[in-house]
Amino acid sequence: MNNVLPKWKRLDNAAKIFPSSSSAIDSKVFRLACELKDLIDPKILQAALDKTMEKFPFFQSVMKRGVFWYYLEECDIKPVVQPETEAPCQPIYNNNKKNLLFRVLYFKKRISLEMYHVLTDGTGALQFLCMLVYYYILEKYKDDFKDTIPAFNQVSTLFQKEDDSFRKYYKKPENSSSLQKHKAYHIKGERLPDNNIGIIEGRMSLKSLLEYSRGMKVTLTELMTAVFIQSIHKEMSEREQNKPIVITIPVNLRSYFPSESARNFFTTISTSYNFSKQENSLDKIIEHIREGFQKELQEEKIRQKMNTLSALEHSIPIRILPLIIKDTILQIASMLEERSSTASFSNIGKVSMPSGMEKYIRLFDAFTSPNILQACACSFGDNYVLSFATPFENHNIECTFFRRLSEMGIETEITTSGETKCNIVKNVK
């Protein structure tokens, strides 16, 4: 009889709020997907998943409730690939069921990874998906790789992948500075039935976008955020003009601290624009966003924000509170955070695969379960894909966004989910 206790891990700082704030309306599940050029073979995909799990063994965990905190515990449940039959980003965590915190789905030419945010962030999930696609392509097209097997550039050790970088880089703040919250304009409207989400996805030429953004001396994220703000403004009523539009933007902390962690390691910044006090022109919005980004993305400011958020976890009064009380506190904190945001925009960034594998892949994309309007972008090769996920029936903001890009000369191929409709001008496919 094996009496060895299973290994367990604390939730990282960013993950601690998700169990308390998860619900059927907001599952805290996000999706990364890769569309290949041939139909998916589920047997080969399962073999690829088995190999990938050897590199990410801590993903084979379940979440449990402790007296003071939730925690992750290793388990013997084997992940099994599944055909995609339900709406995206359905809840994964169930406190009455012992199950893994991610799922791998396939549909036609698409491999999708859905992840409960407790386990990892977009960067960690992308590491997993890229390795899964790597092993799948190696096996599916093995005759093409008889002479040379392309090397995967992920060289981090298991220890590095499992590292809790929040704990590693936490330093007690010298002063107890509070994080400023904005009173934000909120998008309202009828919600889709049965907690479904609407997806509108636009595929653009990365080269064209970069040429345009460089011509304006602005980053692509700043440009897209500005167009997003302008699109939201168009739907605001006159009496709502005095409320600022606030866009929340996740920031990958691996850009500021040496970390190979495949767990959560991110914070957020926000950019705010008030059309009752500021001009309604794209140039002015971009100028304001650029100045805000330069201020918020300074290393010292990012470090201070991370330490301030982490300080709550290290506070002795907070630590000794039983979990049932912590759950209530974190639910309130999540509600306040949501009230201070109009929408969010996440840039996953450029996806890279080993040389020689590009010809089998069409694109990567990403989106998350939304309780507010959320945009998420990533690129692969010349395909830049921006996906909107919304809980609302009205899609005017998303349609205005893509129409505005079209007016700027950026052609977009639009894909929508279910009955979602988006009437775009004629030069957009």
Side-chain angles (χ1 to χ4, degrees):
M1 182 176 178
N2 185 3
N3 292 319
V4 178
L5 293 174
K7 294 180 182 178
W8 65 276
K9 286 183 173 60
R10 298 182 179 92
L11 299 192
D12 58 71
N13 179 262
K16 282 183 165 60
I17 198 169
F18 295 126
S20 307
S21 56
S22 301
S23 66
I25 295 175
D26 187 5
S27 65
K28 305 300 182 187
V29 173
F30 64 93
R31 172 185 287 203
L32 294 175
C34 175
E35 184 179 323
L36 302 180
K37 294 182 179 178
D38 295 321
L39 293 175
I40 302 301
D41 184 322
K43 290 184 178 179
I44 295 177
L45 182 59
Q46 181 63 56
L49 178 56
D50 294 342
K51 288 184 179 180
T52 304
M53 290 304 298
E54 295 174 7
K55 305 293 184 181
F56 294 82
F58 73 97
F59 276 22
Q60 196 165 337
S61 301
V62 296
M63 188 170 70
K64 292 193 171 182
R65 295 173 62 99
V67 177
F68 298 104
W69 293 107
Y70 293 91
Y71 63 95
L72 298 176
E73 183 180 270
E74 69 174 12
C75 68
D76 56 4
I77 301 173
K78 179 183 176 181
V80 178
V81 302
Q82 307 164 50
E84 184 172 351
T85 57
E86 298 184 344
C89 296
Q90 293 296 302
I92 290 180
Y93 171 64
N94 183 337
N95 60 6
N96 296 316
K97 185 178 178 182
K98 183 179 178 181
N99 61 281
L100 298 176
L101 303 177
F102 72 96
R103 58 173 75 102
V104 174
L105 308 170
Y106 61 91
F107 178 75
K108 295 184 178 180
K109 301 177 182 181
R110 180 175 292 257
I111 299 170
S112 298
L113 170 66
E114 293 193 340
M115 187 74 66
Y116 186 39
H117 223 320
V118 160
L119 197 57
T120 187
D121 57 17
T123 301
L126 185 60
Q127 292 176 16
F128 185 93
L129 178 61
C130 286
M131 186 159 284
L132 175 64
V133 173
Y134 169 78
Y135 283 128
Y136 178 85
I137 291 175
L138 276 187
E139 179 60 27
K140 179 73 180 288
Y141 308 99
K142 56 187 175 183
D143 290 342
D144 297 349
F145 299 104
K146 287 186 295 186
D147 299 327
T148 305
I149 296 178
F152 199 85
N153 60 4
Q154 246 185 56
V155 294
S156 54
T157 64
L158 292 180
F159 178 80
Q160 289 172 321
K161 285 191 181 78
E162 297 180 22
D163 181 45
D164 183 349
S165 292
F166 282 107
R167 284 185 169 270
K168 183 176 181 179
Y169 293 109
Y170 170 72
K171 183 179 179 182
K172 186 176 180 180
E174 295 180 3
N175 52 59
S176 56
S177 59
S178 60
L179 298 175
Q180 183 180 1
K181 297 293 180 185
H182 303 271
K183 291 183 178 179
Y185 163 71
H186 294 139
I187 300 167
K188 301 179 181 68
E190 292 293 324
R191 299 180 76 95
L192 290 163
D194 302 321
N195 299 322
N196 285 331
I197 62 176
I199 307 297
I200 297 181
E201 188 172 275
R203 183 179 67 84
M204 295 152 264
S205 164
L206 179 62
K207 181 181 178 182
S208 297
L209 283 170
L210 289 175
E211 286 176 355
Y212 190 93
S213 62
R214 287 167 183 164
M216 299 190 71
K217 297 181 180 179
V218 65
T219 69
L220 196 46
T221 299
E222 290 166 350
L223 174 64
M224 290 301 184
T225 303
V227 177
F228 196 7
I229 287 174
Q230 201 172 50
S231 302
I232 293 171
H233 174 246
K234 188 174 180 181
E235 295 303 309
M236 295 175 72
S237 66
E238 285 295 327
R239 68 178 183 276
E240 294 169 326
Q241 297 292 318
N242 64 328
K243 297 179 181 179
I245 295 172
V246 182
I247 306 296
T248 301
I249 301 164
V251 177
N252 183 5
L253 289 172
R254 298 168 186 83
S255 301
Y256 296 86
F257 303 90
S259 173
E260 298 291 335
S261 177
R263 302 177 70 181
N264 286 294
F265 195 43
F266 73 97
T267 188
T268 60
I269 64 170
S270 62
T271 184
S272 173
Y273 202 84
N274 192 323
F275 283 90
S276 68
K277 301 175 181 178
Q278 295 164 288
E279 293 182 36
N280 182 14
S281 75
L282 188 63
D283 288 343
K284 290 296 182 181
I285 299 172
I286 287 175
E287 181 182 341
H288 177 79
I289 290 172
R290 186 193 297 118
E291 291 174 357
F293 275 32
Q294 289 174 350
K295 180 181 176 181
E296 292 295 319
L297 294 176
Q298 292 178 15
E299 184 174 342
E300 188 56 38
K301 193 81 177 282
I302 292 292
R303 184 182 292 272
Q304 180 186 8
K305 186 165 189 177
M306 185 195 75
N307 287 334
T308 300
L309 290 171
S310 297
L312 296 174
E313 174 190 351
H314 293 272
S315 166
I316 292 177
I318 295 293
R319 288 169 64 181
I320 63 176
L321 288 175
L323 183 58
I324 190 170
I325 297 177
K326 284 194 182 84
D327 271 344
T328 302
I329 293 172
L330 291 173
Q331 284 170 6
I332 295 171
S334 179
M335 288 172 58
L336 293 174
E337 182 71 26
E338 193 171 288
R339 288 176 183 175
S340 67
S341 181
T342 304
S344 74
F345 175 54
S346 178
N347 183 13
I348 300 295
K350 183 179 180 180
V351 182
S352 298
M353 288 293 292
S355 178
M357 292 193 164
E358 300 91 344
K359 63 182 179 180
Y360 306 102
I361 302 170
R362 180 170 181 259
L363 56 80
F364 283 81
D365 63 5
F367 56 84
T368 186
S369 60
N371 201 24
I372 59 175
L373 178 60
Q374 302 205 25
C376 193
C378 64
S379 65
F380 179 77
D382 191 45
N383 281 328
Y384 178 92
V385 181
L386 190 144
S387 304
F388 284 105
T390 179
F392 302 112
E393 290 185 347
N394 188 313
H395 304 289
N396 288 347
I397 293 171
E398 302 95 294
C399 295
T400 298
F401 179 91
F402 289 121
R403 190 177 296 112
R404 182 72 182 96
L405 290 180
S406 176
E407 292 167 357
M408 294 157 56
I410 308 297
E411 294 194 13
T412 308
E413 179 184 297
I414 302 294
T415 304
T416 62
S417 65
E419 298 301 315
T420 302
K421 302 297 180 185
C422 193
N423 298 316
I424 311 295
V425 292
K426 62 183 180 181
N427 70 324
V428 179
K429 297 178 183 179

